[in-house]
Amino acid sequence: ETVNSQETKISDWLKANAKPDDVIGYDAKLHTRDQIKELADLDLKLQALDGNFIDMIWEDQPLPPDSDIEIFPDDIAGRSARLKIQLIASQMQKKDIDVLVLTLSDSIAWLLNIRANDIAHIPVALSYALVFSDGSVQWFIDEVRISDSVKAVLPDCIHFMPPDALEGMLRKFGGMHVWLDPKRSSVWFDKKLCFAESRILYEKDPCIDLRAQKTETEQEAMKKAHMRDGVAMVKFLKWF
């Protein structure tokens, strides 16, 4: 039976169709802590899985995106990556946080002043990052995607890490105070940190509000972009 997920919520379907003894497995990397809590509140038996059964049988699955990483210029961004990192580290220090886990690709793009084309029409690189209270950053991304010219511009507080090293790093955070966004981070992160016995602060990603507050430089760049777009539209309408 095919069900339109826009019309029927997963929680409603499971509540109507799951038997009392059914154990419902889910990919821990595809659901947030809050999403799973909503299902758990329905007294459903849930089991987090480290893998995805569909991936196991998907023989012609495309390779992960590997677009080139580009620098977003400071004169358009309004703040340097180093200054942004310092702003985040300052917030962490005030809350006595040791590590911030960043899972939103757009937050990482904003923080590091980088752009890529991993998702159509969204200029981000699919990756994860850990920000430490001392202002250092571990960026989990395939380093071959980053040219020497880009590395030369990025601040030296950014350390490139292979993506498969992330789980091992999370296991080292036992007893440490870790900031995790429960609405935007997958259960996988929550499970790994809880297993490591980390102290977790469940709070909104701090990059979100900061990047929403546009600097004067960003405002000016946006105005110029709208002017270029307007000229292009008028030229098109005249031709049409």
Side-chain angles (χ1 to χ4, degrees):
E1 179 186 3
T2 302
V3 178
N4 188 334
S5 61
Q6 299 301 310
E7 298 175 356
T8 305
K9 294 176 60 177
I10 292 177
S11 55
D12 292 339
W13 189 92
L14 288 172
K15 187 176 181 180
N17 292 274
K19 299 175 183 177
D21 294 330
D22 284 349
V23 177
I24 301 164
Y26 64 92
D27 188 337
K29 286 190 174 181
L30 298 182
H31 300 274
T32 68
R33 183 175 183 270
D34 283 8
Q35 288 172 337
I36 296 304
K37 184 178 183 303
E38 180 183 354
L39 298 178
D41 288 343
L42 300 176
D43 293 327
L44 297 170
K45 296 180 180 178
L46 305 171
Q47 177 63 51
L49 305 174
D50 258 351
N52 186 309
F53 292 152
I54 294 176
D55 288 340
M56 296 177 184
I57 62 173
W58 190 355
E59 295 182 352
D60 59 345
Q61 186 174 2
L63 295 173
D66 60 351
S67 61
D68 292 338
I69 305 299
E70 301 176 3
I71 290 294
F72 190 63
D74 290 357
D75 59 356
I76 298 177
R79 294 190 183 108
S80 68
R82 185 179 296 278
L83 177 56
K84 291 177 179 180
I85 293 169
Q86 290 172 350
L87 288 172
I88 295 297
S90 177
Q91 288 194 24
M92 294 170 61
Q93 291 163 10
K94 291 177 182 177
K95 295 176 180 288
D96 191 31
I97 297 294
D98 299 306
V99 188
L100 165 67
V101 179
L102 288 181
T103 61
L104 289 181
S105 297
D106 44 349
S107 285
I108 295 171
W110 173 84
L111 181 68
L112 306 184
N113 278 351
I114 59 95
R115 297 293 187 267
N117 292 295
D118 285 4
I119 305 175
H121 314 301
I122 304 177
V124 298
L126 295 177
S127 58
Y128 298 110
L130 300 175
V131 183
F132 295 83
S133 59
D134 64 0
S136 62
V137 177
Q138 291 183 348
W139 187 15
F140 293 83
I141 190 167
D142 189 349
E143 193 172 349
V144 300
R145 300 177 56 184
I146 307 169
S147 66
D148 290 340
S149 60
V150 170
K151 289 180 181 178
V153 177
L154 290 171
D156 55 12
C157 62
I158 299 173
H159 307 284
F160 309 109
M161 305 287 289
D164 58 7
L166 178 58
E167 182 175 353
M169 185 58 63
L170 294 176
R171 289 178 177 175
K172 297 179 180 179
F173 294 157
M176 297 176 67
H177 203 185
V178 182
W179 188 337
L180 185 71
D181 188 332
K183 294 183 179 296
R184 299 166 184 87
S185 299
S186 71
V187 174
W188 184 86
F189 286 91
D190 192 42
K191 295 288 186 184
K192 300 303 177 184
L193 291 171
C194 287
F195 182 78
E197 298 184 350
S198 303
R199 295 182 296 125
I200 305 175
L201 171 67
Y202 295 108
E203 200 167 287
K204 183 180 180 181
D205 174 348
C207 296
I208 294 174
D209 288 343
L210 279 173
R211 61 189 171 91
Q213 301 167 22
K214 304 303 181 186
T215 64
E216 291 184 5
T217 302
E218 288 177 298
Q219 293 177 41
E220 186 61 30
M222 292 168 70
K223 291 175 183 177
K224 290 180 179 178
H226 279 293
M227 290 173 65
R228 292 196 300 272
D229 181 68
V231 170
M233 179 59 72
V234 169
K235 287 184 175 179
F236 167 73
L237 290 175
K238 180 179 183 296
W239 169 84
F240 186 73

